[in-house]
Amino acid sequence: MNKISRKGFLKIAAAAAMSGVTAGALAACNAASSSSAAPAASGAAGTYIPGTYEGTAEGISSTVKVTMTFSDSAVTDVVVDTSGETASYGAAAADQLREQLMAAGSAEIDGVSGSTITSDAVMKAAKSCYAQARGEAAVTSVQLPTGDENDWLGKEPDIDEAAITETVDTDILIVGAGNGGMGAAAYAAAHGLNFRIIEQNGNVQDTRHWVGAVDGFGAQAQGIKMDRAKLLSEISRYASGKCDQRVVKTWINESGEMIEFIRSIMEDKYGVKMVYTYGDEAKWPAENAEHNTDYMYPEIEYTYDRSSGAARNELLLDYIRELGYDVDFKTSLAKLEKDSTGRITGIIAQSTEDDHFIRYNANKGVLLACGGFPGNPYMMEQLDPLGTSVTTACSYSPADKGYGIRAAVWAGANLDKEAAPMLFDRGIVAPGVDGGYVASDSAFGGKAFPGPIRQYNPGTQPFLKVNRNGERFANESSPYNDIVYAAAHQPGRVYAQICDANVLEDAKRFHTIGCSAQTRNGGEKYFQGKVDEAVAAGTLFVCDTIEELADKLGFTGEAKDTFLATVDRYNELYDKQNDEDFGKPAYRLSAIRTAPFYGCWLGASLLTTEQGIAINDKGQALDNDNKPMPGLYVTGDMSGSFFANNYPCLMAGVAMGRTLTYAIKAIKQMGGLE
């Protein structure tokens, strides 16, 4: 984005008027198409610089665009583009909003009932147009550009000093009020440090409840001692060696202290009981060792009594407020700033309410905790084409668009070269739907995953799975992501799962762990709720015969014959209690003989991405020579050096454990606490 000061804008506009070129064209705005409308309210002659101007703002699910044409005294035309908003609400409001803007002669309009967020975005975009027409605007909303289908990174904004109207001085700046940011803020507040925390949204972000820690209070209570060397090796194996083992060791060695700090707030301060898994609930049965599938569950997964209605991030917000701190909400990262030595000195942020710019000077450092990029299709398709191709549904936060990663890369940080999506084998879809994006007018970037349900939890159970040819193609007893990656080599990159009336009895015998255990632990009520939801969505079929199920799933001709033969073969393997075809442990085989029969098509459900900015064992961001960047720390899903290929899902909670451990580590470093 080119830097344009107000003085420079007016000078160029005057020259443009003499040469017949509009100021709007010089400001890189597209001319609006003409349309008839009632005359707008007029101002005094010379109020505006004649031309066409464009403003944008974030709506409920897309970037809203307003294009306005001005004479020297009035608005002569308005085009409102809300086509990316929800069709029955925001998108339908465009004409009414246009009429209101034409009649008002300002950006202050009533809006449309039922489309509040879209209306607010239109008013915000219109304010930008008015400011440009008055020669007041240096830049517009710089946090919005996302690159395009050929350039996920885009360009760092060049913000004119005249546009920065507010300055905040602090020692420590935390960017992002999610899990990492709020954990860091709580630790800084507990130690009386001078810090500020900003968040682009109007509230703290969703709590990810499950936290993995090594030798924490739960392990101590149960007399469990982890083999730390084996754990380090296991995580490195999951990443195919593409991690920094020193970064992993910081989590291994310091996560116990981290979970005790969280416990002290949750239990001691607010009386919310912390709970954890251990023993048989935290390991696969021993039969797996016979088939070289003995995956290690190497740490204890902590959460808390969620029946209390508590959310950890909300409690941490209460905690810092009680200690005299707060979050600067609706404040978005625009760019990092550094001095002549290369040290990160702070950031320039932008208010998402009125677009004014704020300089945050951070004397001791900046911690970026802005999340990954699952909500950004430009980044997903270019940085993780494989994960994108096998995904059919999503359960990510739509706010996670990778803005923090882009800002860090602009400043010279090193982004991991290997994708690491968090994929769950629960992306249920209707027959005939392929993996990957589909066009969507209501989604950011115009693309969305097709699955109507965030996660169909029974999809993780190791039942028979077949491709569109009716063929079995893999050992179904595996970590969550293995089967969806195997489907990358199958037609449509999806697969069908088949089971019979003994589904809950089978699930108990399978004894899957982590969040997939909800199917066996939830019982009939939980399972039936999932079935009813999927049936209503047209993605699950419950049939009296296998032949009927084959038809419902869309098998025809040779594929149907193959499917029926595959079911017969699977029953034969179950009777033998020996999977001669793919080596699945016998206790994870199941018969398919008793009606009703259940069938559905599945792909991956994307939760988040773990491909982030490379860090060292202190949480410092690394540059492209893998040297620490003074003054810059990173945690959470936007930090790297820990995962590659995929997320080790059988180590439940390890990502959040890493996030909170490095949140505290960064505060210790910047605050001089170690």
Side-chain angles (χ1 to χ4, degrees):
M1 184 178 293
N2 293 328
K3 177 165 62 180
I4 307 173
S5 68
R6 181 183 181 187
K7 181 178 179 181
F9 185 93
L10 292 171
K11 183 177 180 181
I12 294 171
M18 294 177 65
S19 64
V21 180
T22 67
L26 286 167
C29 297
N30 296 322
S33 60
S34 299
S35 59
S36 60
S42 300
T47 301
Y48 307 117
I49 303 166
T52 300
Y53 306 91
E54 181 182 287
T56 58
E58 283 289 82
I60 193 170
S61 58
S62 70
T63 299
V64 167
K65 182 169 67 175
V66 174
T67 309
M68 304 182 74
T69 302
F70 291 77
S71 69
D72 67 345
S73 61
V75 176
T76 61
D77 191 27
V78 175
V79 176
V80 175
D81 182 0
T82 61
S83 59
E85 297 292 84
T86 305
S88 58
Y89 295 99
D95 289 343
Q96 294 180 61
L97 292 167
R98 177 186 179 275
E99 291 173 2
Q100 291 181 23
L101 286 172
M102 286 295 297
S106 77
E108 298 300 327
I109 58 177
D110 293 334
V112 176
S113 178
S115 300
T116 303
I117 296 177
T118 301
S119 297
D120 288 346
V122 167
M123 284 186 272
K124 182 177 176 182
K127 286 179 182 178
S128 174
C129 292
Y130 272 97
Q132 292 175 66
R134 290 191 293 264
E136 296 175 355
V139 291
T140 53
S141 300
V142 300
Q143 79 272 19
L144 299 180
T146 57
D148 58 31
E149 61 186 1
N150 299 311
D151 177 19
W152 68 265
L153 182 58
K155 295 181 179 179
E156 182 179 57
D158 192 359
I159 301 168
D160 193 276
E161 284 293 321
I164 302 171
T165 59
E166 184 180 352
T167 300
V168 176
D169 293 315
T170 188
D171 285 340
I172 297 170
L173 177 66
I174 303 166
V175 182
N179 295 288
M182 290 310 299
Y187 198 81
H191 290 82
L193 301 179
N194 176 27
F195 75 93
R196 297 290 285 262
I197 175 171
I198 70 171
E199 166 59 45
Q200 68 176 349
N201 298 289
N203 48 269
V204 296
Q205 296 303 283
D206 289 344
T207 298
R208 192 67 186 165
H209 305 280
W210 302 274
V211 183
V214 179
D215 296 336
F217 66 86
Q220 295 172 34
Q222 301 301 326
I224 298 170
K225 190 72 174 177
M226 295 295 164
D227 184 336
R228 298 189 179 197
K230 182 178 180 181
L231 172 53
L232 179 62
S233 176
E234 182 77 351
I235 291 177
S236 182
R237 181 176 70 88
Y238 257 108
S240 300
K242 300 168 185 174
C243 61
D244 186 330
Q245 294 192 14
R246 297 166 298 179
V247 171
V248 178
K249 285 179 66 177
T250 292
W251 167 71
I252 291 175
N253 294 333
E254 300 183 23
S255 58
E257 176 190 351
M258 171 274 295
I259 201 64
E260 173 58 26
F261 173 71
I262 297 299
R263 188 209 62 78
S264 71
I265 296 177
M266 300 293 291
E267 289 192 350
D268 297 348
K269 176 70 175 174
Y270 295 110
V272 179
K273 180 68 175 176
M274 295 283 290
V275 296
Y276 52 89
T277 57
Y278 65 95
D280 288 342
E281 183 59 34
K283 66 182 180 182
W284 282 24
E287 289 92 330
N288 287 278
E290 300 174 8
H291 296 262
N292 294 318
T293 55
D294 185 18
Y295 295 95
M296 183 181 184
Y297 189 94
E299 32 71 46
I300 285 183
E301 173 196 12
Y302 295 82
T303 183
Y304 52 86
D305 180 10
R306 294 168 63 196
S307 66
S308 65
R312 185 180 66 249
N313 289 345
E314 295 286 353
L315 292 182
L316 296 182
L317 177 62
D318 292 342
Y319 180 75
I320 69 170
R321 283 175 168 170
E322 288 185 38
L323 294 175
Y325 303 89
D326 208 341
V327 179
D328 295 349
F329 288 113
K330 297 185 178 180
T331 305
S332 179
L333 170 66
K335 62 182 291 186
L336 290 160
E337 291 198 294
K338 53 187 174 182
D339 62 20
S340 59
T341 69
R343 178 180 179 81
I344 300 298
T345 59
I347 72 166
I348 297 176
Q350 186 176 32
S351 166
T352 61
E353 291 187 300
D354 62 13
D355 286 344
H356 83 277
F357 290 98
I358 311 161
R359 171 170 281 126
Y360 283 85
N361 294 318
N363 298 325
K364 295 184 178 179
V366 174
L367 171 62
L368 296 180
C370 309
F373 55 88
N376 190 325
Y378 308 108
M379 296 182 74
M380 283 299 304
E381 289 186 319
Q382 292 173 65
L383 297 177
D384 186 11
L386 175 59
T388 300
S389 73
V390 299
T391 297
T392 53
C394 63
S395 48
Y396 56 71
S397 167
D400 287 350
K401 295 184 173 71
Y403 292 141
I405 291 174
R406 294 196 317 144
V409 174
W410 287 336
N414 180 16
L415 177 64
D416 282 351
K417 304 304 184 290
E418 187 82 25
M422 195 179 289
L423 300 177
F424 293 81
D425 46 354
R426 303 169 192 167
I428 192 168
V429 290
V433 176
D434 293 344
Y437 285 116
V438 295
S440 172
D441 290 339
S442 63
F444 178 79
K447 297 178 181 180
F449 294 112
I453 297 172
R454 289 165 61 88
Q455 288 192 20
Y456 175 69
N457 191 275
T460 296
Q461 298 302 311
F463 291 111
L464 170 66
K465 295 178 170 67
V466 301
N467 63 20
R468 283 181 175 169
N469 298 325
E471 304 161 329
R472 188 179 178 210
F473 59 93
N475 177 351
E476 301 92 346
S477 180
S478 62
Y480 307 152
N481 46 248
D482 283 21
I483 193 70
V484 299
Y485 281 137
H489 306 284
Q490 306 307 314
R493 301 173 302 281
V494 292
Y495 52 90
Q497 174 173 282
I498 314 299
C499 57
D500 73 1
N502 297 304
V503 53
L504 289 179
E505 178 184 331
D506 290 336
K508 290 183 182 299
R509 183 177 72 257
F510 294 159
H511 192 87
T512 63
I513 60 175
C515 53
S516 69
Q518 292 176 39
T519 294
R520 64 178 166 85
N521 291 332
E524 178 67 31
K525 182 178 180 180
Y526 176 86
F527 175 71
Q528 193 59 49
K530 293 297 181 182
V531 167
D532 291 344
E533 180 185 26
V535 169
T539 56
L540 179 73
F541 303 96
V542 185
C543 301
D544 292 331
T545 67
I546 286 293
E547 289 78 6
E548 179 189 1
L549 184 62
D551 294 336
K552 293 289 187 180
L553 291 173
F555 291 111
T556 61
E558 185 178 344
K560 180 177 179 179
D561 293 340
T562 301
F563 169 74
L564 296 175
T566 298
V567 172
D568 288 341
R569 171 62 175 168
Y570 197 72
N571 283 330
E572 178 185 343
L573 298 175
Y574 172 77
D575 292 341
K576 291 181 177 180
Q577 286 294 284
N578 181 17
D579 182 5
E580 300 169 342
D581 296 342
F582 290 95
K584 183 156 66 175
Y587 80 101
R588 285 195 162 174
L589 293 168
S590 57
I592 307 175
R593 292 187 172 114
T594 306
F597 302 97
Y598 300 83
C600 62
W601 289 96
L602 294 163
S605 177
L606 172 65
L607 179 59
T608 190
T609 57
E610 303 285 356
Q611 178 184 8
I613 301 300
I615 60 173
N616 63 13
D617 57 356
K618 296 180 176 61
Q620 292 176 290
L622 303 181
D623 65 17
N624 287 306
D625 290 326
N626 284 322
K627 296 178 181 177
M629 297 176 67
L632 184 60
Y633 296 80
V634 188
T635 193
D637 292 347
M638 70 165 294
S639 65
S641 304
F642 201 108
F643 303 112
N645 311 317
N646 52 64
Y647 172 70
C649 55
L650 299 183
M651 303 179 190
V654 65
M656 189 50 56
R658 178 276 315 260
T659 293
L660 290 170
T661 300
Y662 272 97
I664 290 173
K665 187 71 172 180
I667 296 301
K668 287 180 178 180
Q669 290 289 306
M670 290 184 282
L673 301 177
E674 66 175 16

